[in-house]
């Protein structure tokens, strides 16, 4: 399939997403099933165009003076993939599957400057979210928003229970894997440009052996910030698929005890196979709240990786940026409050409650932590930056809030956006 066919396929998918407001992964899967003649390289290139278009949807539309799927797809090739209008016309010439060049949009692109666009357009975020970004990042908010519109790397975590990082990197040499900048077990594969594909690392034999897991470096960093000791008793209250549970188990060298719980059994289900593959022996999995009764007032650390809007993962899931509403944010705030209150019952006197989100919105982060402490006077916030500086001396530092919480971002730490707050329960 030539570029014209790939471009046409991407336009179809973008139109489907717009018309049906469905997840991009579902739209791409359905397109592939209905176009079985398309090879893996074609599907990958189409996916890249679609994801790139959604990451910078607002600025593409403003510069092209056209928000149609056609304009967005062409803008990707011209703005993000580095083609000139002349080179693009040459690539598409004679390709019967190629869509027509949007001449009016191309003319607009040649005359408009992004610096003249409204601020939220420059940042490629919904207008109603702008005040939250301003509150979180001050004068740097546009750069922070723009970093969330860039392509993400593929991050892995070497499983120190099975293999050290250098051994994993050597085994993945053909993928271009390199050590991550901050996380001690982190491995990074650069995102690539244009139509280039990321390697399918889960097809590697070393993955089947449990040598590594796919995990964003930011998730690895906040797992390390929990700073567990070998003999700790830990409750991962919103464990999901178990990424942080696995990371904590490795940090604890399979010692102590971790209890992994999630109210959503479907999200929790993958953890069983992942634990087996990783060689993890100190984890118990729970799928009912009553199973945690014996842990009340008994855990050294309780981790709440709370449900959130996922604004920190917009690089990987750009379609969610445009589906986010004020109502869905309010629903998440309520869920977070419930999760914190329920999880806190399991923290022993003198123990620690860790609150994490993959969001960058203050309402989900600092505001929730402060509201919890205000409602629970036996808890107090503890500065997390000293722990970060001790564990990652010399590394780029995240945003530090007034009460000591941290926010990792693509612009500061080169990771997904993560919020990390520590609250200690006063000893009785």
């Amino acid at each position: 399939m030539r570029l014209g066919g790939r471009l046409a396929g991407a336009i179809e998918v973008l139109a489907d997403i717009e018309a049906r407001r469905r997840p991009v992964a579902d739209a791409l899967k359905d397109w592939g099933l209905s176009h079985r003649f398309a090879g893996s390289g074609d599907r990958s290139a189409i996916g890249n165009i679609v994801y790139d278009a959604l990451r910078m949807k607002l600025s593409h539309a403003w510069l092209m003076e056209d928000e149609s799927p056609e304009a967005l797809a062409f803008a990707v090739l011209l703005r993000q993939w580095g083609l000139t209008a002349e080179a693009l016309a040459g690539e598409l010439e004679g390709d019967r599957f190629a869509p027509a060049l949007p001449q009016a949009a191309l003319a607009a692109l040649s005359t408009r400057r992004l610096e003249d666009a409204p601020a939220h357009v420059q940042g490629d975020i919904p207008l109603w979210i702008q005040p939250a970004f301003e509150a979180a990042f001050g004068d740097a908010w546009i750069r922070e928003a723009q970093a969330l519109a860039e392509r993400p790397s593929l991050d892995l975590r070497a499983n120190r229970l099975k293999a050290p990082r250098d051994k994993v990197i050597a085994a993945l040499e053909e993928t271009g894997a390199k050590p991550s900048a901050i996380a001690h077990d982190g491995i990074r594969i650069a995102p690539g440009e244009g139509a280039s594909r990321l390697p399918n690392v889960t097809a590697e034999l070393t993955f089947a052996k449990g040598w590594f897991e796919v995990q964003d470096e930011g998730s690895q960093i906040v797992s390390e910030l929990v700073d567990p000791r070998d003999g700790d008793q830990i409750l991962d209250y919103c464990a999901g698929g178990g990424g942080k549970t696995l990371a904590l188990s490795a940090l604890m060298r399979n010692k102590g005890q971790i209890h992994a719980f999630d109210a959503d059994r479907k999200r929790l289900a993958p953890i069983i196979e992942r634990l087996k593959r990783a060689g993890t022996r100190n984890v118990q999995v729970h799928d009912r709240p009553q199973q945690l009764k014996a842990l009340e007032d008994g855990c050294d650390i309780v981790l709440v990786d709370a449900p959130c809007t996922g604004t920190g993962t917009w690089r990987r899931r750009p379609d969610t940026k445009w589906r986010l509403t004020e109502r869905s944010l309010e629903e998440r705030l309520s869920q977070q409050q419930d999760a914190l209150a329920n999880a806190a019952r399991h923290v022993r006197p003198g123990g620690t409650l860790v609150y994490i989100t993959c969001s960058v919105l203050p309402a989900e982060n600092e505001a929730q932590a402060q509201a919890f402490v205000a409602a629970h006077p036996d808890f107090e916030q503890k500065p997390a930056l000293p722990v970060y500086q001790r564990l990652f001396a010399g590394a780029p530092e995240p945003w530090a809030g007034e009460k000591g919480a941290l926010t990792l971002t693509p612009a500061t730490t080169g990771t997904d956006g993560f919020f990390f707050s520590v609250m200690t329960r006063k000893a009785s």
Side-chain angles (χ1 to χ4, degrees):
M1 191 181 278
R2 292 174 58 185
L3 179 60
R6 292 174 169 181
L7 192 57
I11 291 169
E12 284 185 49
V13 175
L14 286 167
D16 182 31
I17 294 169
E18 180 65 24
R20 300 167 65 182
R21 295 187 62 79
R22 59 200 306 241
V24 62
D26 292 348
L28 285 167
K29 180 181 179 181
D30 285 353
W31 188 93
L33 290 173
S34 62
H35 296 77
R36 294 185 181 274
F37 61 85
S40 60
D42 298 322
R43 293 194 300 273
S44 176
I46 290 168
N48 282 350
I49 295 172
V50 170
Y51 274 96
D52 282 347
L54 293 173
R55 290 184 182 107
M56 302 178 68
K57 178 180 176 180
L58 277 187
S59 61
H60 284 334
W62 189 87
L63 287 167
M64 303 283 275
E65 288 190 301
D66 185 347
E67 60 183 15
S68 69
E70 291 81 4
L72 298 179
F74 275 98
V76 168
L77 301 182
L78 295 167
R79 292 187 64 208
Q80 293 166 276
W81 291 24
L83 275 70
T84 64
E86 295 75 16
L88 179 57
E91 285 272 1
L92 301 182
E93 187 176 0
D95 186 344
R96 64 189 181 92
F97 296 106
L101 289 166
Q103 297 297 343
L106 295 179
L109 180 63
S110 68
T111 59
R112 304 194 101 186
R113 300 186 314 154
L114 186 59
E115 294 81 4
D116 298 328
H120 76 287
V121 172
Q122 295 181 45
D124 272 296
I125 62 171
L127 177 59
W128 71 272
I129 287 288
Q130 180 178 330
F133 270 72
E134 292 175 335
F137 305 119
D139 292 341
W141 79 265
I142 291 180
R143 173 62 193 130
E144 289 287 349
Q146 289 174 337
L148 282 164
E150 297 171 356
R151 276 194 192 180
S153 57
L154 174 60
D155 290 349
L156 316 175
R157 178 183 57 80
N159 176 18
R160 60 175 69 176
L161 297 176
K162 292 285 189 78
R165 178 166 69 174
D166 58 350
K167 187 175 181 180
V168 178
I169 290 174
L172 297 175
E173 182 180 8
E174 293 180 359
T175 69
K178 304 291 183 185
S180 293
I182 303 174
H184 292 106
D185 295 320
I187 298 169
R188 174 156 291 186
I189 299 172
E193 299 177 351
S196 62
R197 287 186 289 174
L198 284 168
N200 181 15
V201 293
T202 58
E204 297 284 339
L205 180 60
T206 48
F207 176 76
K209 290 181 176 179
W211 286 19
F212 67 88
E213 288 285 336
V214 177
Q215 185 178 22
D216 178 76
E217 188 180 8
S219 180
Q220 297 178 50
I221 291 169
V222 295
S223 298
E224 290 195 60
L225 285 172
V226 174
D227 205 20
R229 296 166 297 184
D230 291 354
D232 278 344
Q233 176 146 281
I234 296 177
L235 170 60
D236 188 353
Y237 190 77
C238 303
K244 295 179 182 65
T245 295
L246 289 163
L248 291 171
S249 178
L251 290 168
M252 296 166 68
R253 300 180 295 175
N254 253 336
K255 300 179 181 180
Q257 188 72 59
I258 302 174
H259 298 268
F261 167 78
D262 201 290
D264 187 336
R265 297 177 190 173
K266 185 176 180 181
R267 290 186 68 238
L268 188 64
I271 196 174
I272 302 300
E273 182 58 36
R274 295 179 74 183
L275 291 171
K276 291 179 181 177
R277 187 175 63 243
T280 300
R281 300 188 303 273
N282 66 337
V283 175
Q284 294 185 42
V285 181
H286 309 277
D287 62 357
R288 289 175 173 81
Q290 57 266 34
Q291 295 171 343
L292 305 180
K293 185 70 175 177
L295 300 177
E296 289 188 4
D297 297 318
C299 292
D300 300 294
I301 300 171
V302 175
L303 179 69
V304 181
D305 186 4
C308 68
T309 57
T311 52
T313 66
W314 276 347
R315 298 183 305 166
R316 303 183 192 280
R317 303 172 61 215
D319 51 317
T320 63
K321 175 163 51 173
W322 310 115
R323 294 202 306 271
L324 181 62
T325 65
E326 294 178 81
R327 180 178 177 181
S328 59
L329 172 58
E330 289 297 325
E331 290 174 353
R332 288 291 183 254
L333 295 179
S334 177
Q335 292 167 355
Q336 291 157 8
Q337 291 160 5
D338 290 344
L340 277 169
N342 292 329
R345 295 200 299 265
H346 303 92
V347 181
R348 66 166 176 81
T352 300
L353 179 65
V354 177
Y355 178 58
I356 297 172
T357 74
C358 54
S359 173
V360 296
L361 303 183
E364 297 184 274
N365 296 342
E366 283 279 12
Q368 291 286 49
Q370 292 176 22
F372 172 83
V373 170
H376 298 79
D378 55 332
F379 282 85
E380 58 185 357
Q381 283 189 274
K382 179 181 176 181
L385 186 59
V387 179
Y388 183 95
Q389 292 170 331
R390 170 170 59 83
L391 293 175
F392 310 114
E397 292 188 0
W399 289 85
E402 292 181 4
K403 298 294 184 178
L406 302 179
T407 302
L408 285 66
T409 66
T412 56
T413 53
T415 68
D416 282 353
F418 276 93
F419 175 78
F420 181 90
S421 178
V422 177
M423 293 163 278
T424 57
R425 183 178 177 186
K426 300 172 185 177
S428 57

